Every structure is written in structure tokens, then in C-alpha cells.
């Protein structure tokens, strides 16, 4: 069977989702998970776009040796040099350079004629080739480009040395039957098309990214660009979990092989939800909470007789396992450590002691502790951001007919405890107003979401929020069995991230 190359761009296009920015530690965690998932190419970032992005690409390039590590660059020397330097430690580096080709982009964005576009594309690919053999070129907005011109650019860039040609439907405008024609035309009309891998990159503005990608595969495309949870600009990109499962479940139809370990799909989806704070909808295919839930009596009846009546894949195939009771109040250090190791966490001594301390507190509050609780607990403890402000304790008073008030005690970086109190519209607002007074940082809450990590009345609540501080959006996350505490922790986490990001650098 022919192999389809899975090119993941969660860390580049995915990170361009409004509010999805990740810090370097988070990107490394996602990159490790992508490696375990088995994707062939990881587009780790857009190195020229910021020092943080450069750094993340560079760290990932040092860390992973199996997959190809790719960095994005416009067709300019500065961009390509930045990508090349970030990728320098990579065992398998790829430079992905792009230039828009559609009439709309030529006229309004680039103000360039066709021949200039061809010339710049050739120059970009030729320059990228001086750093690595593996060069990918994307004619941006290809799906809205005149087909003759698209063929001309593709032919020229392959001749200049591009080893992968990626055809993006940048604005998610195409439909499957049309996108198929685009790919078929390239195969028919570009004489040197066999010298490169043909890839596709579909956006989801009309909800057709997966369908368009599959149509392109039917027409002969060999690389699919996609993201975990379908993250990406605007409505996102082709969702990795959906396209991979379509190829796997309908192997009878597509007859293509993908090297992805599908049992890691749900865990990586949850990880990306946690680090970006962007949660998938319940009915999202493959990884949504309802993807394997059966409500109607007739369906439940069929399922009890034979799961194949209403399920086309098994929950275990995508890594959905029933929550397992793992530890309780009497579990000791050894059992705790062993389970963390099984879940893939290696903590240093300090982190372990902090996590164990919190585990004991949690075990007092909550009878049963599941894997998801442990994951939340550890991720809460090993945030890579110094705790400039630490929440020591808080008290709130609220109820109907009273003015919600909060008292909060926090410790600053010098070890001094600071206490203050304030009112608010509700207890959460009162806590937030008080934290602002204590820290002297004023923040506007732009997003707030709360959800239960596991089932049951004693489940831990997870709060994800976004704050606008001095015009910059920062996300925070907090977990506790007490939702007010989770809310306070999330706010303090966002403030600490803000202080860390705003610190002076030498
Ligand atoms: O959507 C797009 O066109 C892109 C390119 C940079 C490939 O993301
Ligand atoms: Zn894109």
C-alpha cells in the first residue's frame, strides 16, 4: 500500500489560532507527543516571527531525531536564514518556503506581477537549497490561483529543487470535486511533477478541510498537512485525528498506509486542549466527549448485542480507555511515582515532592483518583513558569442578597505575604479584583471556561481563562476540587506567565 506522509502543523498553523499561543516548554511537550504519535513531519514554527518561535524550533530540532523537523519561511533571505539557523541541530531539517500566487493576493497583498512571483519563488527555493536538500514550497492561496499559472509556478519551483510541493487551500474555499481537479491537473500538466512529493494543506472555513484533503489523496496527493483538534487560522486546518481515522477505518476504499499510532489520538488531543485552553466540542468526531456515547434506546440495545451495529471503530483504537481508578488516600510515594512513570512523566525531586504533597491533599478531598486527575495535578505542578506570586489562601463570602467579597493572601518573590480584600459581581469576580489589588496588575478577563476533569460530584474542576494585560493576551489554567480555588489558581497562573514573558532579557 502507498504511504501517506503525515505533516503536522499544530505548532505552526495551529498556534496561529486566536488564543492558542504556547510557550517553549508547552511546544516541547506537544512535540514529544507528536513524535510518539508517529507523525512523519513536524512543522515546529515560523522562526523569523519571534525569538520565542526561533527558540522553540531550535529546541525541538535538538530534541527529536526520528521525524523531519520543518520551519516556515517566506521567500526572503532573512526568513530562510532564520529557518535554517533554527533548524541547524536537526537530524532531518526541512525548510518550508511560501509565496502567494492567486490573483487576489498578487494584486492586493503583494502588488506583484506573475513573472515576479515566479522569479521570487525560484530564488526562495534556490536559496533554501543552499542549507538543506529537503525544501518544501507552497504557492499560498493555490486553490484560488489560475490553474495554468499554478502549473507554471509548480514546474519552476520543482526545477529549482523543491522536493515537496504543497498546495494550500489557504482560505478554505475549495470543495472536494474542484480540489480534486486542481490536483489531477497538476499531475497531468506539470512535466516534472514526479520529481517532488505533492502535498495538500486545507483550511476549514466551509467545514470541508478533511473532505478536500481526502479528495486530494484520491487524486494522488502523498502528504497531508493537518493539526491536532483541527486547530489553525480562523476555522482551523484539516484535523489530524479525523483524516487519519478516515484513511484507517476506510482502508478498503483509500488503500493507503499512515504511520500513526492511533491509540495516542485521544491523549494528544487532551494535551493540546490543556496547553492551548481551546477545548473541542462534545460531538467532535474521534476525540469529542460524545464520539463514542450512545443515547437513544435503540442504539443502546444494538450496542449491547454487538458494538459493530453503531460503532465503526473501537474506542480503544483511538486511545479512549475507561477512566481507571488508580490511587487513593493510602497510596504511598512508590505507587504514585510508578503510576506517573507509566503515564510518561519524569519529575525532578522538587517537582515530585510538590506533586506528591498535592496528591495527598487531593486524596483527602476526593475518594477516587483517576489517571486524568494525576495528569492535571502533575501538569499544574510542573508549569515551566516561575511562581512570582503564589496563592497562599483565600476566603470568600457570597449568597443571594449579599455583596460578594473575597480576602486573598499571596506570597511575592521576596517571600513576603500580602493580604487584601475586595468586592465583586460574584465570588470569582471578587477574588480576581483582590488578586489585582495584591499584585498591582490590572487584567481584563476575556475568556473563562470551567469543566470537570472526571465524572462524579467530587470531580476536580479545571478552569482555563484568558486575560488581556496591557493589550497582550495570556492564558492561565488552574485545577482543584474547589472551583473557586481553581479559578484563583488560573488567574494567578496567567499573571505569573505575564510577568515571566514581560521580564527583561539580557
Ligand atoms: O494556509 C496556508 O496557505 C499556509 C501556508 C503557509 C502553507 O499556512
Ligand atoms: Zn495554513
Amino acid at each position: 500500500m502507498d504511504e501517506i506522509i503525515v505533516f503536522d502543523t499544530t505548532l505552526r498553523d495551529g498556534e496561529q489560532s486566536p488564543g492558542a499561543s504556547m510557550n517553549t516548554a508547552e511546544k516541547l511537550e506537544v512535540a514529544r507527543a507528536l513524535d510518539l504519535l508517529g507523525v512523519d513531519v513536524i512543522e515546529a514554527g515560523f522562526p523569523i516571527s519571534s525569538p520565542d518561535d526561533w527558540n522553540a524550533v531550535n529546541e525541538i530540532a535538538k530534541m527529536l531525531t526520528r521525524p523531519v523537523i520543518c520551519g516556515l519561511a517566506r521567500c526572503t533571505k532573512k526568513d530562510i536564514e532564520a529557518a535554517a539557523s533554527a533548524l541547524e541541530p536537526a537530524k532531518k531539517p526541512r525548510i518550508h518556503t511560501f509565496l502567494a500566487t492567486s490573483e487576489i493576493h498578487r494584486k492586493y497583498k503583494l502588488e506583484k506581477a506573475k513573472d515576479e512571483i515566479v522569479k521570487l519563488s525560484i530564488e526562495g527555493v534556490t536559496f533554501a537549497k543552499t542549507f538543506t536538500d529537503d525544501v518544501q514550497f507552497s504557492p499560498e492561496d493555490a486553490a484560488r490561483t489560475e490553474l495554468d499559472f499554478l502549473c507554471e509556478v509548480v514546474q519552476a519551483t520543482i526545477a529549482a529543487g523543491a522536493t515537496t510541493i504543497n498546495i494550500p487551500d489557504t482560505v478554505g474555499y475549495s470543495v472536494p470535486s474542484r480540489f480534486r481537479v486542481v490536483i489531477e491537473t497538476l499531475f497531468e500538466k506539470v512535466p516534472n511533477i514526479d520529481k517532488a512529493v505533492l502535498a495538500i494543506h486545507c483550511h476549514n472555513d466551509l467545514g470541508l478541510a478533511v473532505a478536500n484533503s481526502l479528495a486530494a489523496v484520491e487524486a494522488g496527493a502523498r502528504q497531508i498537512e493537518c493539526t491536532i483538534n483541527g486547530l489553525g487560522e480562523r476555522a482551523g486546518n484539516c484535523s489530524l485525528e479525523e483524516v487519519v481515522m478516515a484513511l484507517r477505518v476506510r482502508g478498503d476504499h483509500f488503500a493507503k498506509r499512515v504511520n500513526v499510532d492511533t491509540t495516542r489520538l485521544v491523549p494528544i488531543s487532551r494535551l493540546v486542549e490543556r496547553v492551548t485552553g481551546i477545548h473541542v466540542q462534545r460531538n467532535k468526531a474521534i476525540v469529542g466527549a460524545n464520539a463514542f456515547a450512545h443515547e437513544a434506546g435503540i442504539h443502546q440495545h444494538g450496542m449491547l448485542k454487538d458494538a459493530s451495529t453503531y460503532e465503526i471503530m473501537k474506542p480503544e483504537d483511538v486511545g479512549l480507555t475507561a477512566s481507571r481508578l488508580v490511587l487513593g488516600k493510602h497510596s504511598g510515594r512508590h505507587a504514585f511515582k510508578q503510576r506517573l512513570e507509566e503515564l510518561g512523566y519524569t519529575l525532578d525531586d522538587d517537582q515530585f515532592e510538590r506533586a506528591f504533597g498535592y496528591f495527598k491533599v487531593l486524596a483527602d478531598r476526593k475518594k477516587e483518583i483517576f489517571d486524568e486527575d494525576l495528569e492535571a495535578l502533575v501538569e499544574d505542578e510542573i508549569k515551566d513558569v516561575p511562581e512570582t506570586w503564589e496563592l497562599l489562601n483565600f476566603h470568600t463570602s457570597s449568597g443571594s442578597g449579599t455583596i460578594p467579597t473575597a480576602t486573598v493572601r499571596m506570597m511575592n518573590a521576596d517571600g513576603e505575604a500580602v493580604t487584601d480584600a475586595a468586592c465583586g459581581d460574584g465570588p470569582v469576580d471578587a477574588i480576581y479584583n483582590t488578586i489585582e489589588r495584591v499584585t498591582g496588575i490590572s487584567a481584563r478577563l476575556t475568556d473563562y471556561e470551567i469543566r470537570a476533569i472526571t465524572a462524579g460530584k467530587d470531580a476536580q474542576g479545571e478552569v482555563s481563562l484568558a486575560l488581556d494585560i496591557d493589550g497582550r493576551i495570556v492564558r492561565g489554567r488552574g485545577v482543584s476540587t474547589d472551583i473557586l480555588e481553581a479559578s484563583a489558581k488560573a488567574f494567578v497562573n496567567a499573571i505569573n506567565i505575564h510577568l515571566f514573558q514581560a521580564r527583561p532579557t539580557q
Side-chain angles (χ1 to χ4, degrees):
M1 271 204 277
D2 292 339
E3 181 185 314
I4 295 292
I5 300 164
V6 177
F7 176 115
D8 180 274
T9 181
T10 308
L11 296 172
R12 199 278 296 168
D13 211 320
E15 209 218 3
Q16 289 173 218
S17 299
S21 54
M22 303 172 224
N23 62 36
T24 302
E26 290 166 338
K27 285 186 182 173
L28 290 178
E29 203 181 343
V30 172
R32 263 191 295 271
L34 287 168
D35 184 27
L36 291 175
L37 181 69
V39 302
D40 303 287
V41 188
I42 296 178
E43 187 163 53
F46 189 3
I48 192 83
S49 66
S50 73
D52 280 351
D53 233 51
W54 188 95
N55 196 35
V57 174
N58 190 250
E59 292 295 325
I60 293 168
K62 284 183 208 153
M63 180 178 74
L64 300 179
T65 51
R66 184 199 55 82
V68 172
I69 307 297
C70 177
L72 185 69
R74 287 164 297 191
C75 270
T76 68
K77 282 199 158 176
K78 266 173 94 178
D79 275 42
I80 293 168
E81 276 163 356
S85 60
L87 290 168
E88 220 253 313
K91 186 147 177 244
K92 299 182 199 164
R94 175 179 298 183
I95 296 177
H96 175 190
T97 184
F98 71 100
L99 185 64
T101 48
S102 67
E103 190 186 1
I104 297 176
H105 280 234
R106 292 193 314 261
K107 190 164 158 196
Y108 298 111
K109 189 177 87 172
L110 301 171
E111 295 177 22
K112 293 204 186 310
K114 284 180 175 174
D115 54 346
E116 288 175 276
I117 299 287
V118 177
K119 181 171 162 284
L120 289 172
S121 306
I122 294 174
E123 281 171 6
V125 171
T126 310
F127 188 54
K129 277 299 252 198
T130 62
F131 299 99
T132 170
D133 270 349
D134 189 348
V135 172
Q136 169 165 329
F137 175 76
S138 293
E140 190 191 3
D141 206 15
R144 290 193 301 173
T145 300
E146 307 90 309
L147 269 178
D148 282 353
F149 183 54
L150 185 63
C151 290
E152 184 185 337
V153 175
V154 168
Q155 182 175 345
T157 47
I158 295 177
T163 41
T164 300
I165 293 291
N166 175 43
I167 304 300
D169 181 15
T170 302
V171 290
Y173 179 72
S174 209
V175 295
S177 47
R178 170 66 193 168
F179 204 50
R180 200 190 164 101
V181 170
V182 173
I183 303 300
E184 281 169 353
T185 307
L186 289 168
F187 278 115
E188 270 162 34
K189 303 239 168 100
V190 176
N192 53 359
I193 195 75
D194 58 323
K195 303 274 181 307
V197 168
L198 196 70
I200 36 93
H201 172 110
C202 298
H203 278 269
N204 204 30
D205 299 68
L206 294 173
L208 292 171
V210 172
N212 287 337
S213 303
L214 292 172
V217 165
E218 286 174 340
R222 285 206 286 137
Q223 173 178 295
I224 298 182
E225 303 208 355
C226 45
T227 57
I228 301 295
N229 296 340
L231 280 184
E233 283 277 3
R234 307 178 307 280
N237 286 71
C238 171
S239 141
L240 182 147
E241 53 281 3
E242 293 178 21
V243 82
V244 161
M245 285 314 284
L247 292 170
R248 191 58 71 79
V249 173
R250 295 310 310 274
D252 60 323
H253 176 76
F254 293 104
K256 302 286 179 211
R257 194 159 50 83
V258 274
N259 291 322
V260 164
D261 175 0
T262 62
T263 64
R264 293 188 181 268
L265 289 173
V266 169
I268 195 169
S269 161
R270 304 279 194 266
L271 170 68
V272 170
E273 284 186 307
R274 272 200 301 275
V275 299
T276 60
I278 298 179
H279 298 124
V280 300
Q281 82 261 23
R282 295 187 72 83
N283 63 334
K284 161 103 171 56
I286 318 296
V287 293
N290 288 356
F292 292 90
H294 301 272
E295 177 69 24
I298 297 177
H299 290 208
Q300 289 178 351
H301 179 70
M303 283 293 295
L304 289 173
K305 297 217 148 160
D306 191 309
S308 67
T309 50
Y310 286 101
E311 267 181 11
I312 58 167
M313 53 202 146
K314 294 205 241 33
E316 310 84 86
D317 295 346
V318 298
L320 194 70
T321 44
S323 282
R324 223 158 43 88
L325 172 64
V326 285
L327 296 173
K329 195 175 167 150
H330 302 293
S331 309
R333 276 194 162 66
H334 185 70
F336 180 67
K337 190 163 194 188
Q338 188 177 337
R339 190 63 199 144
L340 291 188
E341 278 168 10
E342 282 162 12
L343 289 172
Y345 294 108
T346 358
L347 306 189
D348 64 32
D349 290 348
D350 265 10
Q351 289 170 332
F352 178 79
E353 284 309 320
R354 279 207 312 272
F356 187 68
Y358 189 63
F359 162 70
K360 281 291 174 188
V361 174
L362 183 64
D364 271 339
R365 291 182 185 179
K366 193 172 183 298
K367 280 201 280 326
E368 303 169 321
I369 298 192
F370 298 93
D371 283 346
E372 292 88 334
D373 291 316
L374 291 183
E375 280 164 3
L377 180 158
V378 173
E379 267 152 37
D380 220 31
E381 285 309 305
I382 60 173
K383 283 178 198 132
D384 202 35
V385 172
E387 273 196 297
T388 310
W389 284 99
E390 187 187 340
L391 180 70
L392 296 175
N393 47 56
F394 72 93
H395 171 80
T396 56
S397 129
S398 68
S400 49
T402 64
I403 299 175
T405 51
T407 310
V408 177
R409 192 171 161 75
M410 297 176 74
M411 191 160 71
N412 65 20
D414 299 325
E416 292 157 357
V418 186
T419 308
D420 214 325
C423 306
D425 291 334
V428 173
D429 190 40
I431 291 173
Y432 289 174
N433 290 339
T434 315
I435 295 174
E436 287 185 304
R437 287 171 68 98
V438 170
T439 59
I441 291 173
S442 75
R444 194 167 59 83
L445 185 68
T446 57
D447 191 17
Y448 174 94
E449 213 177 303
I450 183 159
R451 60 183 200 150
I453 288 179
T454 50
K457 278 203 288 186
D458 64 354
Q460 294 198 90
E462 177 191 48
V463 170
S464 317
L465 52 71
L467 301 182
D468 179 340
I469 305 178
D470 301 335
R472 280 188 70 172
I473 300 293
V474 265
R475 297 203 71 91
R477 176 175 169 273
V479 175
S480 171
T481 47
D482 176 333
I483 55 171
L484 292 178
E485 186 176 48
S487 304
K489 283 169 112 181
F491 200 88
V492 175
N493 176 229
I495 283 186
N496 283 332
I497 292 174
H498 163 73
L499 290 171
F500 182 61
Q501 287 173 346
R503 76 197 183 285
T505 43
Q506 313 87 342

